[in-house]
Amino acid sequence: MLAKSSLLPLLAPLVAAQHDWSQYVNPFIGGEGPIPGQAFGGGDIFVGGARPFGVAKVGIDTWETNVSISTINGGWTPKGLVTGISMMHESGTGGPAKYGIISQMPLTTLDAPVNILDNRTYWQERVGNESASVGYYGAELKNGVSFQVGGARHSGIMQYDFPAGDKYILVDVSHFLPNEGGSNEDQYYAGGAIEIESRGKQYTGWGAYGGGFSNSGPSTTYFCGDFEQAPAEAHTFRGRNTAPVQRQHNLASNTIPHPTFRNRSREESGPLTDRVGAVFAFSNSTARTVKSRVGISFISVEKACAYKNQEIRSWNLNDTVSGAVKEWNQDVFSKIQVSTAPTVNRTNLVLLYSSMYFMHLMPSDRTGENPLWEDSKDYWDDFYAIWDIFRCTVSFYHLFQPTYYASMVRGLIEIWKYEGFMPDGRSGNYNGIVQGGSNADNILADAYVKGLPGINWTEGYQAMLQDAEVIPFNTFNPIDLTNGIQQGRGALYDWIPLGFVSADKSTRAISRTIEYSANDFSLVQVAKGEAPQDVQKYLNRSANWQNIWAHNFTHKGFTGFPVPRLSTGEFNVSDYNPALCGGCEWQDISYEATPFEYSFTVPHDMQSLIEFMGGNDEFERRLDYIFQPNTSEQSLGANGAGITTIMNIGNEPDFATPYEYHYLNKQAKSVNISRALGNEFFHDATYGVPGNSDAGALNSWFLWQMLGVYPVVTQPVYLIGSPWFSDINMTINGNNTLRVTATGLDNANSYFVQSVKINGQAWNKNWFEHNDVMKNGGTIEFELGSEMKAWETGDVPPSPGHYEKPRP
Ligand SMILES: *[C@@H]1O[C@H](CO)[C@@H](O)[C@H](O)[C@H]1NC(C)=O
Ligand SMILES: *[C@@H]1O[C@H](CO)[C@@H](O)[C@H](O)[C@H]1NC(C)=O
Ligand SMILES: *[C@@H]1O[C@H](CO)[C@@H](O)[C@H](O)[C@H]1NC(C)=O
Ligand SMILES: *[C@@H]1O[C@H](CO)[C@@H](O)[C@H](O)[C@H]1NC(C)=O
Ligand SMILES: *[C@@H]1O[C@H](CO)[C@@H](O)[C@H](O)[C@H]1NC(C)=O
Ligand SMILES: *[C@@H]1O[C@H](CO)[C@@H](O)[C@H](O)[C@H]1NC(C)=O
Ligand SMILES: *[C@@H]1O[C@H](CO)[C@@H](O)[C@H](O)[C@H]1NC(C)=O
Ligand SMILES: *[C@@H]1O[C@H](CO)[C@@H](O)[C@H](O)[C@H]1NC(C)=O
Ligand SMILES: *[C@@H]1O[C@H](CO)[C@@H](O)[C@H](O)[C@H]1NC(C)=O
Ligand SMILES: *[C@@H]1O[C@H](CO)[C@@H](O)[C@H](O)[C@H]1NC(C)=O
Ligand SMILES: *[C@@H]1O[C@H](CO)[C@@H](O)[C@H](O)[C@H]1NC(C)=O
Ligand SMILES: *[C@@H]1O[C@H](CO)[C@@H](O)[C@H](O)[C@H]1NC(C)=O
């Protein structure tokens, strides 16, 4: 009897693994911005059926009626008109739309005014029954069609419930997500083909699409779709292309024509880039269901068909959905286990698992789907952008997704090997574009210092050297003609001879000087093991941010700021205000954050930074200041989430700043600020993140906040925060367990650290190292309370890049 009952605890982990954590995911978090009903200023997230790091993201494409402020990059918008249901999307990105390709659209009439070449004549409002869950999306259109979709890795299944009357599925190969206003960054269609097989039961073909954020050349996507039952009729069509695309033959000044039906089983664009597609008609006077599966591939029609057939073996849509749920639970959600007892705050459960969900929609694991070169095992796309995810998202992948992550890092190195540079942004099989530094360097350094296995670091270091030493060619991208912004570090022509990015010869001089410094510190970290002779050189360069530091420049009572410096060496202080950045755009002195914000982003040498800002007390006073309301002098506009502090949690450069009190041994203040930011800006609501989620970057910041630790990128160091749950089991590094427990959380506002134990030992530092608990697992025990206690007495977190240059 005794023996029998002692077996029970062994069964517990098994039961836990089968728990359906996906039920806590709210897939709409981030779909809306501050203006109710509109996407603008929101997370720009994808809503639909997808797998962790999957290739296909099956969901709707919409057009928001208020085009001047629409942001349709994720496809879904709260009230936008549906123009199609397509196979590929980005998630969370704020730049020009990419994808929204390989679509279907259910229509109940083709009569005038419908012109199937003009989506504005058939687009549909959603009238209700909209729902989404992991792997699933469904809604009802004004024309009476209800539809549901389920996502698999390279394929999707669609179920359309038509009302009585005519029933059509339109396949427009030339469909893609357009840009809001129309610009040189628009996507474009570069031709395609479609073939109807088996009397319309199956169709195959390809479309080529370029442009968007990465400014890519055309990339070919093959597709293979079929229907559960053959349609009554199927017809291909073609029509002249009237999209205004440079260097392409088209009729851009003409109105959109009507399609031509030529009764051919195959239509192909040809040299005039004609639009092609097909209409499938399911004639039946009564209501009925039409089901379809579509597979996609970058290699061939055969592969697209094989994905469809192998990944979606059943016509029951729920089989695909439950397959998705199983995969997400197994590969993602079950890796963080907290109590789901009824006493647990459900909102926090939703925030936890939804945050994990949004971090796994991008990048895309395209292994086996590389059309560019043959001999790589690992191939990844949709780094949109590394500028966003290097700060704390990838450190999460390192711990929780070591297999995927090693493949991702190898994929970055393979891109360098075959294309000359690792990407900072990449989509559509094309590097582009670089917002600041060459931040893949930071990913490699972070992986290196934490000992990610399975990487050839000889090659990894070579890839980083390329970024550090070779000026990328200029593609004359109209958003910044001054230097190459496709890949690499465009302003190396300043950086190498001058030791800073100059304000007269280069754009984004302040932010790039600071980011390039961090990139060179990344080289230091890898050089320590791979090329010791290079360490001094890059350590020296990693301190180049000091070259633009004006020690006597004063603003709002604070002395010492980064200041624009001319190539002649002079500081240019005329009209300079470090709390302003123009529009924080490509042509400005700093990108997507003010110099004031960037001045806090020197994680490798906080020691010098604190000295430069006037020592501990002045540094603390300055931190206190940037978290105070109404200190921001830069208007963030409608995209600003109502933030009036200088510190802007809605944008990535400031991610680590709320934790910088750690460097003063005032961890309680970091907890106070970061917790308040989490509470104020992250919600279980459609307007639930403070700005573009940026491929899950914002979600990952918040996730670390909830777990009670924060990684210092490029160092094997984690800052100790304060967890939101009293017991968290995390499966890290493959199959080790890190358990984080906390007492005291039952009382409101009782989240300040009173004491910490790591692996059972009392801990007096506010940080720990990777090998302490993140490699083999371990325990962190928090005693929490309402007192803002100065509990830490040990060393402040390290400044491994500490280096003082002669003052300029
Ligand atoms: C469109 O957005 C602008 C900017 O927020 C707003 O002022 C205007 O009222 C909106 N128009 C409509 C029709 O929603
Ligand atoms: C939603 O679905 C229900 C049940 O399937 C149906 O009765 C209803 O008409 C649908 N449409 C709307 C707009 O609610
Ligand atoms: C819809 O039609 C407009 C006007 O022709 C076009 O600009 C846009 O690219 C089309 N596609 C979508 C998905 O909106
Ligand atoms: C369409 O093509 C089929 C087979 O090639 C032929 O039998 C049929 O008559 C054609 N229909 C029209 C309207 O041309
Ligand atoms: C029409 O729909 C009805 C009801 O769903 C079904 O029984 C019948 O087989 C369909 N007929 C055809 C020709 O598809
Ligand atoms: C899938 O299952 C859900 C509930 O489990 C149900 O509401 C829905 O109608 C099902 N969809 C299909 C296409 O079977
Ligand atoms: C964490 O794991 C321990 C040891 O297996 C177990 O006792 C505890 O209940 C788990 N906690 C949660 C929240 O799953
Ligand atoms: C649950 O957590 C949310 C967000 O963290 C908080 O706003 C809410 O007050 C909590 N609810 C309860 C009942 O404690
Ligand atoms: C690492 O890459 C280098 C350069 O391509 C190659 O010479 C070496 O054999 C590789 N090392 C391993 C262990 O594969
Ligand atoms: C650091 O770099 C500067 C600029 O290249 C150079 O003048 C200086 O000698 C270097 N310092 C050391 C210690 O190498
Ligand atoms: C501030 O420092 C710069 C560079 O060190 C120097 O050129 C300038 O004269 C100084 N200005 C004042 C007001 O001290
Ligand atoms: C998990 O642990 C087992 C044995 O301890 C080991 O053989 C296996 O490789 C580990 N798996 C991973 C993914 O690390």
Side-chain angles (χ1 to χ4, degrees), residues 358-372:
F358 284 109
M359 292 168 62
H360 288 81
L361 291 175
M362 300 235 289
S364 310
D365 181 0
R366 299 267 188 82
T367 298
E369 280 294 321
N370 181 356
L372 300 172

Side-chain angles (χ1 to χ4, degrees), residues 80-271:
L81 298 164
V82 176
T83 58
I85 295 163
S86 75
M87 296 299 295
M88 287 186 67
H89 294 91
E90 308 280 14
S91 185
T93 55
K98 187 79 182 168
Y99 303 141
I101 56 173
I102 315 301
S103 67
Q104 295 187 345
M105 181 70 190
L107 300 176
T108 51
T109 176
L110 300 181
D111 295 344
V114 170
N115 172 5
I116 54 174
L117 289 182
D118 186 350
N119 64 71
R120 296 167 301 181
T121 67
Y122 61 73
W123 56 22
Q124 293 289 317
E125 248 176 77
R126 280 157 288 166
V127 295
N129 286 351
E130 185 173 46
S131 71
S133 56
V134 169
Y136 174 86
Y137 174 81
E140 182 172 337
L141 301 176
K142 194 169 187 187
N143 64 13
V145 181
S146 285
F147 67 92
Q148 307 176 65
V149 305
R153 194 152 276 277
H154 310 81
S155 56
I157 180 166
M158 296 81 170
Q159 172 168 329
Y160 304 97
D161 293 301
F162 278 91
D166 290 347
K167 301 165 187 68
Y168 304 100
I169 300 293
L170 166 66
V171 173
D172 175 4
V173 178
S174 64
H175 169 101
F176 56 82
L177 274 175
N179 203 357
E180 300 172 23
S183 79
N184 63 289
E185 296 171 275
D186 276 4
Q187 282 196 91
Y188 60 93
Y189 161 76
I194 189 163
E195 181 161 356
I196 289 169
E197 299 165 8
S198 315
R199 297 173 179 269
K201 192 167 188 301
Q202 178 159 297
Y203 64 93
T204 57
W206 57 271
Y209 315 89
F213 179 76
S214 58
N215 248 266
S216 77
S219 177
T220 299
T221 306
Y222 298 90
F223 57 83
C224 177
D226 67 357
F227 298 96
E228 184 185 27
Q229 275 147 13
E233 290 181 48
H235 301 283
T236 61
F237 63 84
R238 68 187 297 131
R240 287 302 306 276
N241 193 348
T242 53
V245 180
Q246 287 180 34
R247 301 179 182 131
Q248 201 179 72
H249 295 281
N250 55 36
L251 289 173
S253 299
N254 285 40
T255 51
I256 297 174
H258 283 265
T260 313
F261 290 89
R262 301 198 298 179
N263 195 23
R264 295 187 183 178
S265 64
R266 181 182 168 85
E267 284 285 9
E268 181 153 355
S269 297

Side-chain angles (χ1 to χ4, degrees), residues 71 83 119 211 314 372 376 410 485 526 537 621 673 706 716:
T71 37
T83 58
N119 64 71
S314 127
L372 300 172
S376 296
R410 285 193 296 269
I485 60 168
V526 179
K537 173 183 177 183
R621 195 170 72 85
I673 289 289
M706 295 189 103

Side-chain angles (χ1 to χ4, degrees), residues 284-421:
N284 191 328
S285 55
T286 59
R288 67 168 281 188
T289 295
V290 171
K291 294 184 188 177
S292 177
R293 306 178 294 178
V294 178
I296 53 171
S297 166
F298 302 92
I299 305 293
S300 67
V301 158
E302 289 69 28
K303 279 194 91 170
C305 292
Y307 287 135
K308 163 182 72 81
N309 296 336
Q310 286 158 18
E311 293 176 355
I312 305 179
R313 289 161 184 270
S314 127
W315 284 105
N316 182 348
L317 183 133
N318 274 345
D319 289 342
T320 296
V321 175
S322 49
V325 165
K326 194 173 164 202
E327 190 171 342
W328 278 95
N329 278 329
Q330 204 164 294
D331 284 1
V332 179
F333 305 132
S334 65
K335 292 186 175 167
I336 298 185
Q337 303 204 350
V338 295
S339 167
T340 57
T343 48
V344 172
N345 185 330
R346 192 180 158 97
T347 305
N348 287 347
L349 290 177
V350 170
L351 290 170
L352 177 69
Y353 292 103
S354 303
S355 299
M356 289 178 84
Y357 173 75
F358 284 109
M359 292 168 62
H360 288 81
L361 291 175
M362 300 235 289
S364 310
D365 181 0
R366 299 267 188 82
T367 298
E369 280 294 321
N370 181 356
L372 300 172
W373 56 89
E374 277 182 357
D375 56 343
S376 296
K377 281 205 208 67
D378 306 280
Y379 184 63
W380 288 69
D381 201 0
D382 300 323
F383 293 100
Y384 191 170
I386 287 176
W387 187 85
D388 300 292
I389 64 168
F390 85 79
R391 299 161 207 268
C392 67
T393 316
V394 299
S395 305
F396 181 95
Y397 298 154
H398 187 115
L399 291 182
F400 292 90
Q401 302 295 353
T403 308
Y404 275 125
Y405 188 52
S407 171
M408 198 186 295
V409 171
R410 285 193 296 269
L412 289 174
I413 296 169
E414 289 297 304
I415 291 168
W416 155 78
K417 211 168 175 179
Y418 288 88
E419 305 219 47
F421 286 91

Side-chain angles (χ1 to χ4, degrees), residues 616-617 619-625 627-628 657-677 705 720-721 751-753 766 787-792:
N616 282 2
D617 292 348
F619 183 71
E620 183 175 1
R621 195 170 72 85
R622 207 184 285 213
L623 274 181
D624 291 348
Y625 175 76
F627 296 114
Q628 269 163 36
T657 309
Y659 292 97
E660 290 188 3
Y661 291 103
H662 275 70
Y663 292 86
L664 304 170
N665 264 358
K666 296 204 169 177
Q667 188 260 7
K669 277 190 153 185
S670 296
V671 168
N672 194 34
I673 289 289
S674 62
R675 187 101 171 186
L677 290 167
Q705 164 62 212
I720 294 173
Y751 47 70
F752 293 106
V753 174
N766 60 29
E787 186 197 338
M788 282 183 74
K789 193 168 166 181
W791 60 273
E792 73 270 52

Side-chain angles (χ1 to χ4, degrees), residues 550-553 571 808:
H551 288 272
N552 56 7
F553 187 89
F571 284 93

